[in-house]
Amino acid sequence: MTKEIAVLGAGSWGSVLASVLDENGSHVRLWSYNEKQVAQFNETHTNPKYIKNYTFSESISAYHDLAAAIDGVDYILFVVPTQVTRSVARQVAAILKDRNHSVNIIHASKGIEEKTYLRLSQVLSEEIDPENRQSISVLSGPSQAEDVVTHDITLVTVASDNQRAASEIQDLFMNNYFRVYTSDDVIGVEFGAALKNIIALGAGALYGLGYKDNAKAALMTRGLAEISRLGTSFGANPLTFIGLSGVGDIIVTATSTNSRNWRAGNELGRGESLEAVIKNMGMVIEGVATTRAAYELSKKRGVEMPITSAIYHVLYDGADIKETINQLMTREGRSEIG
């Protein structure tokens, strides 16, 4: 049976995931808060601000009315920025409750909520009543939207506490170029997804400062170590961090010029202010807010995260980026393991 799916968030990743689902035979509704974007999408079937030179299927309809977008759907896929996920979920919850409707919830955003330090599955579970949700799952992995639209081979993971739901979502997304694995480690997948953006900021900064591949490899490897330390302190499976949503996502996000976080770090390394970088990007840079949340969370948990700490001080304390990176890369010697 054809599934009815609402994709909330018409940025690059949301619109491309909508396209994957449409290609696989689902009936897809793409929601955006931006009325002009919705009108343009429905008239031209394009989304040029986010995905250039690509025409979407005419069978994908864009919506500005959230209630209409989720009316009677089987699945709701959240792909909105991390820091607005709660507010959108709250609106969705009210609509579902009013209509006495229960759906499967998926999210494909990558971040940690500021102040609460919650992962997004936790945010969604707080806002959407149990009687209105059958499951909550997360889709993550090394997946640049610009490559997915060209049908580049892409491997991702869907993690859920409900393995029936994970298998069904795997079937929804799986095709000959978009390959999906399942996992029951929601904690590990969400921490890997969120924290790799911090490492991407650092990798971009290294490039902007003139460092080469050796320095990048060092930062990525030690970044993976501190991501694993924080994630496992919450009960994540350490093996998750050497999988797609861990090392896989770090590789693509910390090396690709398509990565907003890498580009933001690169501009910071070249001497641009954070304010100028955010303005120039014109899109959400998830790693900026996640850096603050992860830094504060690491202090609360007593987990050492030197890369996160260094980037935090650059972003929020005005620390000199060249001096800070130099101090980070010349720390005193210690054992690699332990």
Side-chain angles (χ1 to χ4, degrees):
M1 291 180 62
T2 300
K3 297 297 184 181
E4 297 282 339
I5 303 175
V7 179
L8 309 186
S12 55
W13 194 217
S15 58
V16 167
L17 286 177
S19 183
V20 172
L21 290 165
D22 173 78
E23 287 181 36
N24 290 354
S26 293
H27 182 218
V28 184
R29 310 171 194 179
L30 182 62
W31 174 83
S32 172
Y33 73 94
N34 188 320
E35 289 188 79
K36 290 182 178 179
Q37 183 188 22
V38 168
Q40 181 180 41
F41 190 96
N42 286 332
E43 289 170 9
T44 68
H45 311 292
T46 62
N47 194 10
K49 179 179 178 180
Y50 297 98
I51 298 294
K52 298 184 185 338
N53 304 316
Y54 184 77
T55 301
F56 290 84
S57 166
E58 294 184 13
S59 58
I60 302 174
S61 297
Y63 289 73
H64 176 65
D65 184 335
L66 182 59
I70 68 173
D71 184 36
V73 298
D74 303 297
Y75 293 85
I76 297 177
L77 171 59
F78 284 78
V79 204
V80 295
T82 297
Q83 306 309 324
V84 301
T85 296
R86 185 179 293 276
S87 64
V88 175
R90 192 168 291 162
Q91 296 173 62
V92 167
I95 296 165
L96 294 176
K97 188 172 184 178
D98 181 63
R99 296 178 179 178
N100 193 29
H101 186 51
S102 180
V103 300
N104 290 285
I105 302 293
I106 317 165
H107 86 79
S109 301
K110 301 180 178 182
I112 299 172
E113 188 176 51
E114 290 189 287
K115 298 182 180 178
T116 68
Y117 315 121
L118 293 178
R119 295 174 286 108
L120 291 181
S121 65
Q122 294 174 300
V123 172
L124 292 167
S125 67
E126 282 190 354
E127 294 298 333
I128 301 174
D129 291 341
E131 58 266 28
N132 296 126
R133 53 178 166 85
Q134 299 171 33
S135 62
I136 297 178
S137 306
V138 52
L139 184 77
S140 188
S143 46
Q144 296 287 355
E146 294 83 356
D147 294 337
V148 175
V149 293
T150 67
H151 291 192
D152 192 30
I153 297 171
T154 302
L155 276 67
V156 297
T157 298
V158 58
S160 181
D161 295 332
N162 183 326
Q163 287 307 289
R164 175 197 58 77
S167 295
E168 290 177 357
I169 294 164
Q170 180 183 47
D171 291 341
L172 284 177
F173 283 95
M174 181 86 87
N175 58 34
N176 63 352
Y177 67 90
F178 199 81
R179 312 300 296 169
V180 186
Y181 288 76
T182 61
S183 170
D184 61 2
D185 185 14
V186 176
I187 297 172
V189 168
E190 287 187 306
F191 270 120
L195 301 182
K196 56 87 184 180
N197 285 329
I198 304 172
I199 309 309
L201 283 170
L206 285 180
Y207 188 85
L209 288 164
Y211 289 93
K212 306 296 187 213
D213 290 342
N214 290 357
K216 177 173 62 180
L219 184 86
M220 291 166 64
T221 305
R222 297 310 301 164
L224 182 63
E226 67 179 60
I227 290 172
S228 182
R229 281 197 298 273
L230 185 62
T232 55
S233 79
F234 283 91
N237 184 339
L239 292 177
T240 296
F241 299 108
I242 59 171
L244 292 169
S245 58
V247 66
D249 218 349
I250 287 178
I251 289 171
V252 74
T253 313
T255 63
S256 173
T257 56
N258 286 329
S259 164
R260 294 176 210 167
N261 293 281
W262 186 93
R263 297 202 314 267
N266 180 40
E267 290 183 27
L268 289 168
R270 293 177 181 275
E272 292 283 356
S273 67
L274 177 59
E275 293 75 16
V277 170
I278 293 172
K279 182 178 180 180
N280 292 340
M281 194 68 61
M283 293 181 276
V284 174
I285 307 165
E286 289 280 19
V288 172
T290 298
T291 297
R292 173 155 46 196
Y295 172 79
E296 294 172 353
L297 183 57
S298 71
K299 296 302 181 185
K300 289 171 67 73
R301 301 287 293 188
V303 174
E304 185 183 26
M305 299 184 72
I307 297 171
T308 299
S309 179
I311 295 171
Y312 171 85
H313 290 306
V314 169
L315 294 178
Y316 295 105
D317 291 338
D320 180 78
I321 190 166
K322 186 172 184 178
E323 181 180 339
T324 302
I325 294 293
N326 185 61
Q327 290 174 352
L328 174 66
M329 302 301 276
T330 57
R331 298 170 71 229
E332 65 179 52
R334 61 188 64 198
S335 172
E336 181 181 11
I337 308 300

